[in-house]
Amino acid sequence: MTMMSNNDILQLHDKQFKKFITREQIHDAVKRLGAQITADYNASEVVFVVVLKGSILFATDLIREVHLPCRLEFIRAESYGTGMHSSGKVNVTHYTGMDLTGKHVIVLEDIVDTGLTVKQILAHLEEMNPASLKIATLFLKPEVCKGTVATHYVGFEISPLFIVGYGLDYNELGRNLADVYILHETL
Ligand code: IMP
Ligand code: MG
């Protein structure tokens, strides 16, 4: 059940969330990352590997800000967890052909928390011998992952709290929100 009480507070399942990052701020960050990628790859072709499900809003907005020849592939990385904690075990599934040999690859992630998911995705993609392999993530929790994984393009560094919206979910709800909300512990 999703219930809006006002514009800035919303309820998803048993928890309340408060507006944290606006759609305008997200748009600015996505534009900045798109410009950075466009400049860095200097007209080379890029393959974006989109990590389902959370990254789809980020991916569809970002690729329109990238002015390079580019391809899209999709994978799913399930961490066998529900709610607010990942279980630590990651299973990677492909949905598309993915010949990455000799390609410049950028993995599109919604959020890097412990970094475990993205690390296992990188190890998996590395075996396909790409020419280069980088990560673009909209959100990074630096205090949690503590630099254990190299994130090349980062939209926002955030504190170690739980967020939803713009693709990110709490038990599958909240992905469709245009703004990002943070867990409101005190309500
Ligand atoms: P990891 O800890 O970096 O492996 O993150 C695992 C996954 O947990 C991410 O890909 C997200 O799907 C999810 N996750 C981590 N932090 C959040 C959050 O604040 N909100 C929603 N999902 C999150
Ligand atoms: Mg999730």
Side-chain angles (χ1 to χ4, degrees):
M1 182 184 63
T2 310
M3 201 176 63
M4 298 290 292
S5 45
N6 69 38
N7 283 339
D8 290 339
I9 305 279
L10 74 100
Q11 177 126 10
L12 298 173
H13 299 294
D14 58 333
K15 300 268 190 281
Q16 285 191 312
F17 294 83
K18 194 177 187 316
K19 197 180 279 185
F20 180 53
I21 298 173
T22 65
R23 62 195 74 187
E24 292 79 15
Q25 290 172 299
I26 295 169
H27 180 70
D28 289 350
V30 169
K31 270 190 93 154
R32 170 174 55 80
L33 295 182
Q36 236 176 302
I37 291 169
T38 303
D40 288 355
Y41 285 80
N42 191 28
S44 301
E45 185 180 293
V46 167
V47 182
F48 288 110
V49 175
V50 182
V51 184
L52 298 174
K53 304 175 192 171
S55 305
I56 58 158
L57 275 71
F58 176 45
T60 56
D61 285 346
L62 179 72
I63 61 174
R64 283 177 282 183
E65 301 292 342
V66 172
H67 307 292
L68 296 170
C70 69
R71 298 171 190 259
L72 274 187
E73 303 289 355
F74 296 87
I75 60 170
R76 177 108 198 252
E78 286 166 289
S79 60
Y80 297 114
T82 53
M84 299 191 174
H85 303 284
S86 77
S87 66
K89 267 190 169 171
V90 177
N91 184 39
V92 180
T93 314
H94 297 188
Y95 288 96
T96 43
M98 294 238 298
D99 180 9
L100 303 183
T101 315
K103 307 276 195 203
H104 293 293
V105 175
I106 303 179
V107 177
L108 299 186
E109 261 288 23
D110 50 357
I111 190 161
V112 174
D113 186 18
T114 62
L116 197 95
T117 303
V118 91
K119 246 191 225 169
Q120 297 198 28
I121 290 170
L122 287 185
H124 183 85
L125 299 180
E126 199 70 70
E127 286 177 13
M128 298 183 193
N129 298 314
S132 67
L133 183 55
K134 290 193 176 182
I135 303 165
T137 186
L138 186 56
F139 298 103
L140 173 70
K141 297 182 187 172
E143 291 166 48
V144 185
C145 72
K146 295 190 173 76
T148 54
V149 60
T151 41
H152 308 92
Y153 302 100
V154 177
F156 299 90
E157 291 196 353
I158 60 165
S159 55
L161 287 168
F162 193 81
I163 58 172
V164 293
Y166 197 72
L168 290 152
D169 72 303
Y170 169 46
N171 282 350
E172 295 302 326
L173 293 184
R175 295 194 195 275
N176 59 321
L177 300 163
D179 305 291
V180 165
Y181 291 73
I182 194 157
L183 183 65
H184 202 323
E185 300 278 18
T186 52
L187 284 176

